[in-house]
């Protein structure tokens, strides 16, 4: 059994389709099928149930694939350890960022990373929190930027900054007469939210518990991204809640919208860097953190250099 065989097992377990798994591994379908059968014969157990329409993984197969992922992740550490011994700031850094942070952080972050570590290009992947964490644990990403809370064993999290929330409204909205917005008022208007499954949506609903009611949600429209929602607010469709990095610069760019802070206690989210506890390029993490703090993000409150916390 080889590391390549293990990659084939993992791909088939994720894709549940021989053709897609083979395409993901950049091999022919017969090559992948033969390799899977070889592993099953060698182990003496059936790992996958095959039918004309689908591929199902057996309970034993699930345990073996989970172990295979650990093996590949540990094997991937070998070249990383060697590279870190030479120069932790040389070679690509695979960076994951959640959708509600990436558009506002990356344009400011990339020039600063390039200045601090010109030989460390960023390979950037945007996705939801759960998918970024899965990719991190599989060794497909080196470090991710996301917001708390999350709980993942074997992952180190280090706070970087707290980001307050803002209310975005049409420039002609009656709330523009207010200096601060009480969170409970959100239930009195048409609140535009991200779709289900996005952590920022859940954070907004925590800000306004009344918006969880059936009547409130019936008046809620779902947008595909914060950018889309910002445009809908500009048309006068409703109001929304945005992180400060997405909101504070808007009125200067678009006369159709206005931004107001919340009344105290001001709701916010804590943004962290997260990486595998075994990741060897600590110098690259330090540079990334420094670059984020130097990015002058609107409204955020930097957090002093707290010790990394290993999640259990």
């Amino acid at each position: 059994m080889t590391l390549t065989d293990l990659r084939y097992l993992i791909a088939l377990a994720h894709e549940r389709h021989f053709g897609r798994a083979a395409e993901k591994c950049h091999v022919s379908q017969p090559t992948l099928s033969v390799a899977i059968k070889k592993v099953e014969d060698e182990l003496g157990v059936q790992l996958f149930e095959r039918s004309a329409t689908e591929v199902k993984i057996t309970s034993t197969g699930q345990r073996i694939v989970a172990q295979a992922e650990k093996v590949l992740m540990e094997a991937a550490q070998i070249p990383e350890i060697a590279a870190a011994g030479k120069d932790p700031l040389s070679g690509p850094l695979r960076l994951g960022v959640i959708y509600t942070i990436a558009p506002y952080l990356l344009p400011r972050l990339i020039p600063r990373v390039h200045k601090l570590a010109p030989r460390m290009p960023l390979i950037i992947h945007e996705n939801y929190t759960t998918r970024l964490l899965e990719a991190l644990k599989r060794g497909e990403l080196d470090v991710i930027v996301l917001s708390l809370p999350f709980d993942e064993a074997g992952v180190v999290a280090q706070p970087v900054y707290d980001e307050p929330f803002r209310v975005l409204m049409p420039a002609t909205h009656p709330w523009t007469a207010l200096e601060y917005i009480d969170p409970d008022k959100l239930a009195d208007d048409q609140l535009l939210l991200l779709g289900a499954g996005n952590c920022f949506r859940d954070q907004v609903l925590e800000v306004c518990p009344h918006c969880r009611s059936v009547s409130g949600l019936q008046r809620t429209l779902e947008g595909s991204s914060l950018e889309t929602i910002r445009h809908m607010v500009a048309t006068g469709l409703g109001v929304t809640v945005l992180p400060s990095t997405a909101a504070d610069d808007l009125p200067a760019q678009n006369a159709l919208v206005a931004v107001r802070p919340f009344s105290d206690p001001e709701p916010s989210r804590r943004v962290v860097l997260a990486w595998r506890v075994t990741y060897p390029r600590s110098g690259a993490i330090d540079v990334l953190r420094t670059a984020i703090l130097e990015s002058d993000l609107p409204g955020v409150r930097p957090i002093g250099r707290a010790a990394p916390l290993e999640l259990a």
Side-chain angles (χ1 to χ4, degrees), residues 56-280:
K56 292 183 178 180
I57 187 170
T58 66
S59 58
T60 300
Q62 289 176 338
R63 295 172 60 191
I64 289 175
V65 166
Q67 187 63 34
E69 290 179 331
K70 295 178 183 178
V71 170
L72 287 183
M73 187 174 67
E74 292 299 322
Q77 297 295 315
I78 295 174
E80 290 180 350
I81 291 171
K86 298 174 184 176
D87 182 359
L89 304 185
S90 179
L93 183 73
R94 298 168 297 177
L95 174 65
V97 191
I98 59 173
Y99 288 124
T100 58
I101 292 179
Y104 319 108
L105 171 63
L106 293 177
R108 298 169 181 259
L109 174 68
I110 290 171
R112 288 165 175 82
V113 171
H114 183 70
K115 180 180 179 180
L116 293 170
R119 291 176 295 136
M120 189 179 75
L122 299 180
I123 301 174
I124 299 168
H125 182 67
E126 294 181 52
N127 217 315
Y128 296 109
T129 295
T130 54
R131 293 178 183 172
L132 291 179
L133 284 168
E134 290 170 0
L136 182 71
K137 292 188 69 177
R138 290 196 300 266
E140 296 172 3
L141 294 173
D142 299 321
V143 59
I144 56 180
V145 181
L146 68 167
S147 65
L148 296 178
F150 69 92
D151 184 14
E152 201 71 46
V155 173
V156 175
Q158 187 176 58
V160 183
Y161 60 83
D162 288 328
E163 182 174 21
F165 296 164
R166 309 291 196 219
V167 180
L168 183 73
M169 65 194 75
T172 57
H173 198 284
W175 291 356
T176 57
L178 302 174
E179 187 176 357
Y180 300 97
I181 306 298
D182 188 286
D184 289 339
K185 292 183 70 68
L186 296 175
D188 299 332
D189 209 303
Q190 181 142 277
L191 178 64
L192 310 184
L193 292 175
L194 291 170
N198 192 294
C199 62
F200 188 71
R201 173 195 174 99
D202 298 334
Q203 291 167 344
V204 171
L205 291 177
E206 289 178 5
V207 170
C208 180
H210 296 300
C211 295
R212 295 181 182 274
S213 66
V214 174
S215 60
L217 291 179
Q218 284 177 341
R219 296 196 302 271
T220 299
L221 302 179
E222 295 185 359
S224 59
S225 70
L226 290 183
E227 290 298 297
T228 300
I229 289 177
R230 295 199 314 182
H231 292 309
M232 288 195 289
V233 170
T235 69
L237 186 60
V239 302
T240 194
V241 176
L242 296 177
S244 65
T245 55
D248 285 7
D249 291 341
L250 271 182
Q253 304 167 7
N254 188 341
L256 296 177
V257 297
V259 174
R260 292 292 183 273
F262 280 98
S263 55
D264 288 333
E266 189 177 47
S268 64
R269 65 178 177 181
R270 175 154 291 187
V271 175
V272 303
L273 286 173
W275 63 95
R276 296 182 303 280
V277 67
T278 56
Y279 186 63

